[in-house]
Amino acid sequence: MEILAPVGSPECVIPAVRMGANAIYLGASAFSARASASNFDDEELLKAIEYCHQRGVKVYLALNTLIRDDEMQSALNTASIAVKYGIDAIIVQDIGLASLLKKSCPDVKLHASTQMSIHTPEGAKLLYDMGFDRVVLSRELSENEIKEIVNSCPIETEVFVHGALCMSVSGQCYFSAMVGSRSGNRGRCAQPCRLPHCINDNKNNNHALSLKDLTLTDHLKKLEQIGVTSAKIEGRMKRPEYVAASVKACRQALDEGIVDFETKDILRSVFARSGFTDGYYMGKLGPEMFGKREKEDVISANESLFKKIRGLYNKEAQLIPLKMQFKAISNELMSLSITDDMGNTAFVEEAPPEKAEKLPTSEERIREQLSKTGGTPFFTESIEISLDKEPMIRLSSLNDMRRKAIEIILSHRAKQDEREFKMPDIRIEDNKKISRYRERHVMISCDIDPKLKNNLIFVPYDSKQENLKKLVDDGFSIGLELPRGMFGKEKKISEYIKKAKDVGVGHILAGSLGAVALGKKYDMIVHGDFGLNVMNSHTVRVLAELGCADVVASIELTYKQISQLCHHIPVGILSSGYVPLMLTRNCPVKGSGISCAECGMKSVLRDKLGHTFPVVCNTGCAEILNCATLKCERSDLNITNTSFEIHRDDIRSCFDNSKLTSNVTHGLYTRGVI
C-alpha cells in the first residue's frame, strides 16, 4: 500500500521522501484546496518532480478546488505545465475541469478529491465509469464501509490515515463561505469550526465543532489487506517535521506491523488536538472524538523536538539497488556499467589501467571504492569485476567513474515520457435559455399545501409508501429528496426508491454524485441539488451527460455568475429557507453529551456573538443550518436564463422560536466568495 505524504512547500519534499513516502501530493500557485500553504511555482514543481522521480517516488498535483468559467483556462494552463514536467496524477474536485483534462490528455491519471464527497459504492462506480483512476474517500467511513467500496469496482481507493478532521463532510461545508466569504471549496477556509461554539447554552463545551486529529496507524495493515491503494496523510499546512514524523509512523506500521512507543510519542508531540481518534473507522462516534489544541499540545512542539526529528532525515536514504560491472583489462579502456531497479543503464570509460610497480589494486579495494554511494539514493546490490594481471588503478579514477555513472542514472530516472496536452476549446454553446420560472419545493414532510399542486415537490426519501401514493393519486408531482450523507445506507435507500416507484414517484433530488448514480440506476428523473457544487458551464454539461434533467447552481456563486452559466440543461437557484452550512456524520449535540431524546430536534449551535444555528438530523448525519433565512426577491433576480427556483421548507416550526434570530439574508448571491 502506498504511503502518500503532504508537501505544502519545497522544504517538505526531502523529509517526505527520506522517511519513506511512496508518493507526495502538492499544490501549484493556484487552484489548490490549501491556498494558504506555500505551494509550488513552476520551477519548484519541476525540481520536486525530478527529485522524487529520481528516487522512485510519485508526485500528484492537487488542482482540487471549484473552478469558475473565467478561471478554467488558467487551471488548464497549470495542468498542462504539470503534465509537461511529468506529473503522475492530478487530484480534482471539479468534474467540469476533470472532463476537460481527459480530453486534453487522455493519458493523465485523475484522482477524485475527497471534496467530491464520495462515500458509497455507486458513487465510486460512477467515477470509474467517468474515467477516474482513483477516488479519495470521505474521512467519515468505517472499516466495513471502506471494504464495501473497495470491492464494488476496480477504481483505486485512497484513505486518509492521519491528520486533521474537518467537522463537515469535505465538499459539503459552506460555513466559512457564508460567514466570511472565504470558500472551503476554493481553498480559502477560515476554519470557523475551530472557533468557540456551544450547543444551546452549554458553556462546558465551547468547542462543539472541533474534532481531534485522525490517526489510523494501528489499522494500516488491515487497510492494506482490504485492498486500499493509498494511505494518505493530511497536512499541507504543516511544517517539515510533521511530515517526517507522520511518514515515519506510517512506514513503521506497514513494514513492521506496529508503531513503537517512541514514534507514537513524537507523532503526538509534533501536532495533536487533545490526542487522536479513530472513531469514524471503528464506528464509535460521540464526545470522545471531540478535542481542541490545548496548552500541552502547543508546548510539546518545541525546537528540541524539531531538532530531533530533523536528525532522522539529514542524510539521503539509500533505498534503490544498483548492479555494477567493472572491467580493467591491460591496454583497454577501463569501463563501468551500472543498472538500476527500473532497467536504466549507464556506461562510462576511463584510460586503461596502469601496470602495478609495487602493490596492485586488489579486487576487494575496487569493490569497496565503487560501493561508496553515500549522498545518493542508491546502494550497491552486486558488483562483477573483471581484471587481468595485476593493475594499478587510481582511486580517483574509480570515484570519477562511479560519480559519472550515477549522474547518468539520475538523469534517466528524471526524464519522463512525452505526453501531449492538447489544449481544448473551452467555449460552450448556450443551447438552452429559458426565461420561464418554475418553482420547486423541498418539504420536510408529506403535509403539502394544495396550492403547490402545479409545482414539483420533493419529500424525504423515507416517506411512507401510503403517503406517497395518496399524493400521487391527488395529482401532485412528487420526487424523493435523497440525503447528501448516505454512509452505509445505500441498500436501504435503494429499497425506498423501489417502493416509491411502485406508487408512481418518478423524480429524485440528488445532492451528491452517489445520489445521481443511485437515481439513474433505478431509472428515475434526476434533479441535481446544490450539494453538487455546480460552479461552471462545463460541470453543467457533464451532469447533463450523466443524465441529470436539471441542476441547482452553487450557492457560492453570485447572481451575475449564475446568469452567465451556459445551459445544456435548466439551471436554477436555491431561493428560500435555511441554507445548510455543514453536513456532519458526528452530531455536535451528541458530542456535547446531549442524547437524541433530550434534544428532540430542538437544539441549536451558538457562536460567541450569540448567533444561533439550528441542528437537524438527516439519515444518520446532522446538518447545521444558517442562522438567517435565505430570501431572494425576484425583482433582484436578474437571471433571464434560469428556469426554476427551489425553495426549502421553513423549518422554524421545529424549534423554539425564541432561540432563533429572525435575520434575513441574500446569502452569497450578491457578495460572492474568494
Side-chain angles (χ1 to χ4, degrees):
M1 184 168 63
E2 172 186 275
I3 294 175
L4 177 57
V7 171
S9 68
E11 292 74 27
C12 293
V13 175
I14 287 177
V17 173
R18 290 186 176 177
M19 295 310 296
N22 306 106
I24 66 169
Y25 65 104
L26 46 76
S29 54
F31 310 115
S32 161
R34 291 294 180 268
S36 298
S38 297
N39 292 315
F40 289 70
D41 62 26
D42 291 352
E43 183 180 353
E44 291 167 339
L45 178 61
L46 177 59
K47 288 181 178 179
I49 292 173
E50 288 181 342
Y51 178 87
C52 289
H53 284 180
Q54 286 171 346
R55 289 152 182 81
V57 174
K58 294 180 179 180
V59 183
Y60 307 144
L61 176 68
L63 281 180
N64 56 338
T65 63
L66 296 179
I67 313 293
R68 294 195 302 256
D69 278 331
D70 61 307
E71 301 167 324
M72 191 61 74
Q73 187 62 61
S74 181
L76 289 169
N77 292 340
T78 299
S80 69
I81 292 169
V83 169
K84 176 184 175 182
Y85 290 166
I87 203 75
D88 294 286
I90 301 178
I91 307 168
V92 184
Q93 175 187 5
D94 194 295
I95 59 174
L97 173 62
S99 70
L100 293 174
L101 289 175
K102 269 300 181 184
K103 290 178 181 178
S104 305
C105 184
D107 293 336
V108 70
K109 290 187 178 294
L110 291 184
H111 294 180
S113 169
T114 190
Q115 294 285 119
M116 281 195 183
S117 315
I118 301 298
H119 56 276
T120 62
E122 290 298 332
K125 290 178 189 176
L126 181 66
L127 289 180
Y128 181 72
D129 292 340
M130 291 171 66
F132 280 87
D133 299 275
R134 179 182 295 185
V135 56
V136 187
L137 298 177
S138 294
R139 304 173 211 209
E140 294 80 8
L141 291 162
S142 68
E143 178 185 307
N144 287 336
E145 290 162 355
I146 293 170
K147 186 175 181 179
E148 186 180 17
I149 294 172
V150 169
N151 293 334
S152 68
C153 70
I155 197 169
E156 293 182 357
T157 51
E158 186 172 297
V159 171
F160 277 93
V161 297
H162 188 82
L165 279 176
C166 296
M167 184 66 184
S168 176
V169 174
S170 293
Q172 300 299 315
C173 184
Y174 310 96
F175 211 140
S176 176
M178 195 63 71
V179 300
S181 291
R182 294 180 56 179
S183 169
N185 281 316
R186 290 172 54 79
R188 300 287 182 181
C189 182
Q191 295 189 314
C193 53
R194 303 300 180 188
L195 298 176
H197 292 90
C198 67
I199 296 298
N200 301 329
D201 296 314
N202 180 10
K203 299 298 193 298
N204 293 326
N205 179 14
N206 63 353
H207 280 78
L209 297 181
S210 183
L211 295 174
K212 293 178 181 177
D213 277 18
L214 162 77
T215 193
L216 298 182
T217 52
D218 290 340
H219 307 288
L220 258 60
K221 293 299 289 185
K222 182 63 177 178
L223 287 170
E224 186 177 44
Q225 292 167 9
I226 287 173
V228 170
T229 308
S230 180
K232 184 172 195 170
I233 300 166
E234 183 277 339
R236 279 189 289 149
M237 299 291 290
K238 303 290 199 310
R239 55 189 298 151
E241 295 84 355
Y242 168 90
V243 175
S246 54
V247 172
K248 174 179 169 61
C250 291
R251 185 81 273 159
Q252 193 177 86
L254 276 182
D255 293 349
E256 303 173 25
I258 190 171
V259 183
D260 61 42
F261 177 80
E262 181 183 12
T263 302
K264 283 186 175 181
D265 187 55
I266 290 174
L267 194 61
R268 184 202 60 77
S269 298
V270 74
F271 196 93
R273 289 185 173 90
S274 311
F276 297 118
T277 180
D278 61 0
Y280 284 133
Y281 181 80
M282 298 300 293
K284 296 179 179 178
L285 314 184
E288 53 280 350
M289 282 191 67
F290 290 77
K292 61 179 181 177
R293 248 342 225 163
E294 302 284 4
K295 181 180 179 181
E296 51 267 33
D297 296 322
V298 177
I299 63 175
S300 65
N302 53 39
E303 181 54 33
S304 175
L305 173 68
F306 295 146
K307 184 177 180 181
K308 180 179 180 180
I309 296 173
R310 287 194 291 269
L312 299 174
Y313 60 86
N314 61 4
K315 292 183 179 180
E316 181 80 65
Q318 295 177 275
L319 302 173
I320 303 168
L322 293 178
K323 293 181 179 180
M324 298 185 179
Q325 292 180 322
F326 177 76
K327 184 183 291 187
I329 305 297
S330 299
N331 301 319
E332 294 182 14
L333 293 175
M334 287 189 298
S335 65
L336 175 64
S337 176
I338 295 181
T339 304
D340 69 3
D341 61 335
M342 297 173 64
N344 296 305
T345 60
F347 183 79
V348 295
E349 293 180 319
E350 281 279 342
E354 301 174 16
K355 185 177 180 180
E357 295 181 1
K358 294 183 180 180
L359 291 176
T361 306
S362 67
E363 182 176 323
E364 182 180 350
R365 188 61 190 273
I366 295 170
R367 190 180 304 276
E368 177 186 349
Q369 207 64 25
L370 292 177
S371 297
K372 291 182 177 180
T373 56
T376 78
F378 306 106
F379 69 91
T380 306
E381 185 179 65
S382 64
I383 304 179
E384 295 180 13
I385 300 176
S386 298
L387 304 174
D388 74 336
K389 301 181 180 179
E390 295 181 333
M392 195 285 289
I393 304 172
R394 298 179 186 276
L395 298 184
S396 60
S397 295
L398 291 172
N399 290 340
D400 284 345
M401 295 176 76
R402 183 195 66 240
R403 191 179 304 112
K404 289 176 182 177
I406 286 178
E407 287 176 356
I408 293 171
I409 291 290
L410 285 172
S411 67
H412 284 322
R413 295 176 72 91
K415 187 177 181 181
Q416 300 302 313
D417 295 333
E418 290 290 330
R419 287 184 295 176
E420 183 183 9
F421 192 99
K422 187 176 181 181
M423 195 62 69
D425 182 355
I426 62 172
R427 293 173 298 177
I428 296 180
E429 181 183 354
D430 193 352
N431 56 13
K432 195 162 189 176
K433 289 190 176 182
I434 302 174
S435 59
R436 179 178 56 84
Y437 288 99
R438 183 183 180 189
E439 293 186 358
R440 296 177 185 175
H441 297 260
V442 180
M443 315 299 290
I444 60 172
S445 72
C446 290
D447 185 14
I448 301 173
D449 190 329
K451 295 178 182 178
L452 300 178
K453 188 168 287 188
N454 292 327
N455 300 299
L456 179 56
I457 309 295
F458 295 102
V459 297
Y461 82 95
D462 55 356
S463 300
K464 292 181 179 180
Q465 192 175 22
E466 54 266 32
N467 292 341
L468 296 176
K469 185 177 186 309
K470 184 178 186 305
L471 289 170
V472 172
D473 290 345
D474 287 346
F476 285 95
S477 181
I478 298 295
L480 298 183
E481 180 195 17
L482 299 194
R484 286 181 294 146
M486 300 190 292
F487 296 93
K489 292 182 170 61
E490 196 173 67
K491 292 179 181 177
K492 182 179 179 181
I493 293 171
S494 295
E495 292 303 314
Y496 277 107
I497 294 174
K498 290 182 212 175
K499 290 179 180 178
K501 280 193 70 175
D502 289 343
V503 296
V505 175
H507 300 264
I508 288 290
L509 183 63
S512 69
L513 288 176
V516 171
L518 207 55
K520 295 310 297 179
K521 181 178 180 179
Y522 294 102
D523 295 320
M524 305 290 275
I525 299 173
V526 176
H527 307 267
D529 203 1
F530 71 93
L532 293 173
N533 295 322
V534 174
M535 197 163 270
N536 61 71
S537 301
H538 296 278
T539 297
V540 178
R541 171 180 54 79
V542 173
L543 289 171
E545 292 168 355
L546 291 175
C548 287
D550 49 54
V551 293
V552 175
S554 167
I555 60 175
E556 296 184 346
L557 289 175
T558 64
Y559 289 143
K560 182 178 180 181
Q561 290 163 346
I562 296 171
S563 70
Q564 293 171 345
L565 290 175
C566 293
H567 286 56
H568 299 270
I569 50 177
V571 176
I573 63 167
L574 186 64
S575 62
S576 70
Y578 283 93
V579 176
L581 299 185
M582 275 188 176
L583 174 72
T584 177
R585 197 174 187 184
N586 209 340
C587 177
V589 179
K590 284 185 180 179
S592 294
I594 300 172
S595 69
C596 292
E598 293 172 309
C599 170
M601 281 278 284
K602 296 185 182 298
S603 293
V604 295
L605 181 79
R606 191 182 303 275
D607 68 12
K608 62 181 180 180
L609 298 177
H611 298 124
T612 52
F613 304 84
V615 182
V616 297
C617 296
N618 189 347
T619 319
C621 292
E623 288 191 297
I624 299 167
L625 309 181
N626 196 17
C627 58
T629 307
L630 180 67
K631 293 289 184 184
C632 297
E633 299 296 333
R634 284 189 180 170
S635 59
D636 298 329
L637 195 59
N638 185 24
I639 305 174
T640 60
N641 59 349
T642 52
S643 58
F644 64 91
E645 299 175 3
I646 189 163
H647 305 262
R648 303 191 85 81
D649 230 19
D650 189 334
I651 59 140
R652 280 180 295 182
S653 59
C654 299
F655 295 91
D656 177 356
N657 289 337
S658 65
K659 290 185 177 181
L660 297 175
T661 61
S662 57
N663 293 340
V664 172
T665 179
H666 290 284
L668 296 164
Y669 293 140
T670 55
R671 54 190 170 99
V673 297
I674 58 173

